[in-house]
Amino acid sequence: MDKIRQSTLHGEVAERVRDLIAQGVLAPGSRVPEKQLCEQFGVSRTPLREALKVLAHEGFVELLPNRGARVAKLTRTTLKNTFEVMQSLEALAGELAGARISDAELANIEALHYQMLAYYKSGNMQEYLLANQQIHEAIVVASQNEVLIDVYKNLNHRVRRVRFTAELSSDYWSQAVSEHEAMIEALRKRDGKELGSILSCHLRNKVEVSALEEMAE
């Protein structure tokens, strides 16, 4: 990983640490290795600690008095509550995207969808989940609502390691693909109401997948 330039604000450090948490490199409950991260990013302790304050406010880490910080654990209750909010956000994003999406954005989402289908047919779950994630994020961006995008981005970071890394049963995987087909069709029709309903149902089904509960403590 490239070192961060000294002139970069602590916001970039926070973004790097968020990614490490989302990817599972920094596991829930583990101590944040400040010295190691400073060396990895090429920064001093000051911007890292400022970044950790931001991440603590966002719920990614917990600050320990005179003992640094540790990665916050995802409890079943926290996970459930977060997905309930995200369900509403994605539903709203779908409604707005149906009315506001550009032809270029639609073409990009369609291309991602076809890539995702190819990964599904070949059984490549890792790449399938990545394309899946990109589709959901692209729909949110197509809402053209900056407040919604910012809130969604923050919450999505918190649960990304669960939402887009869980193993899927063959039945659920097939159902998820069918729901994505319906999403694309609704987007093509610019039917925001239908798209919002599909997205809400899609995420609700995701919450019910037992693999998510197994990954939360």
Side-chain angles (χ1 to χ4, degrees):
M1 183 178 291
D2 295 336
K3 290 186 176 181
I4 297 174
R5 298 184 302 276
Q6 292 293 335
S7 59
T8 304
L9 298 174
H10 63 271
E12 187 174 346
V13 179
E15 186 66 21
R16 294 284 187 93
V17 178
R18 282 193 203 96
D19 285 340
L20 293 177
I21 294 173
Q23 295 163 9
V25 176
L26 296 179
S30 66
R31 294 287 292 275
V32 176
E34 293 188 21
K35 182 178 179 181
Q36 177 184 326
L37 292 180
C38 286
E39 293 175 354
Q40 183 176 335
F41 299 154
V43 299
S44 67
R45 290 277 179 109
T46 299
L48 177 59
R49 287 177 174 171
E50 288 300 314
L52 291 176
K53 291 178 183 178
V54 172
L55 295 174
H57 178 71
E58 295 174 348
F60 287 95
V61 303
E62 299 172 344
L63 299 180
L64 307 174
N66 303 315
R67 292 184 294 139
R70 67 184 172 199
V71 180
K73 293 183 178 180
L74 272 179
T75 65
R76 289 186 178 89
T77 299
T78 299
L79 187 62
K80 178 178 179 294
N81 291 343
T82 302
F83 270 89
E84 285 177 348
V85 175
M86 290 187 68
Q87 183 179 331
S88 295
L89 289 175
E90 288 209 13
L92 176 57
E95 291 185 26
L96 296 176
R100 301 173 178 176
I101 192 168
S102 68
D103 290 341
E105 287 174 320
L106 176 57
N108 176 58
I109 292 173
E110 286 180 317
L112 288 170
H113 176 69
Y114 290 130
Q115 288 178 6
M116 189 191 75
L117 288 181
Y119 294 135
Y120 168 67
K121 292 175 181 177
S122 66
N124 189 335
M125 186 173 292
Q126 182 176 357
E127 292 299 326
Y128 165 87
L129 289 169
L130 178 59
N132 186 321
Q133 174 184 336
Q134 291 172 332
I135 289 169
H136 283 272
E137 292 174 351
I139 291 174
V140 171
V141 170
S143 73
Q144 299 180 30
N145 183 309
E146 293 300 326
V147 175
L148 190 158
I149 293 169
D150 286 345
V151 174
Y152 176 87
K153 182 179 179 180
N154 176 269
L155 293 179
N156 198 40
H157 268 302
R158 297 191 197 186
V159 299
R160 194 173 71 189
R161 68 179 182 267
V162 174
R163 182 178 183 185
F164 296 110
T165 59
E167 291 293 319
L168 307 178
S169 69
S170 58
D171 288 344
Y172 176 80
W173 199 358
S174 176
Q175 177 186 349
V177 169
S178 295
E179 290 170 353
H180 268 264
E181 292 274 18
M183 288 178 206
I184 297 301
E185 186 58 32
L187 269 176
R188 288 172 179 153
K189 295 187 298 184
R190 293 336 199 250
D191 190 335
K193 185 175 181 180
E194 180 180 353
L195 178 58
S197 177
I198 294 168
L199 284 165
S200 178
C201 180
H202 181 70
L203 192 51
R204 182 169 62 250
N205 290 340
K206 185 71 173 179
V207 177
E208 294 171 356
V209 176
S210 60
L212 292 181
E213 293 189 354
E214 291 172 2
M215 294 183 69
E217 298 186 11

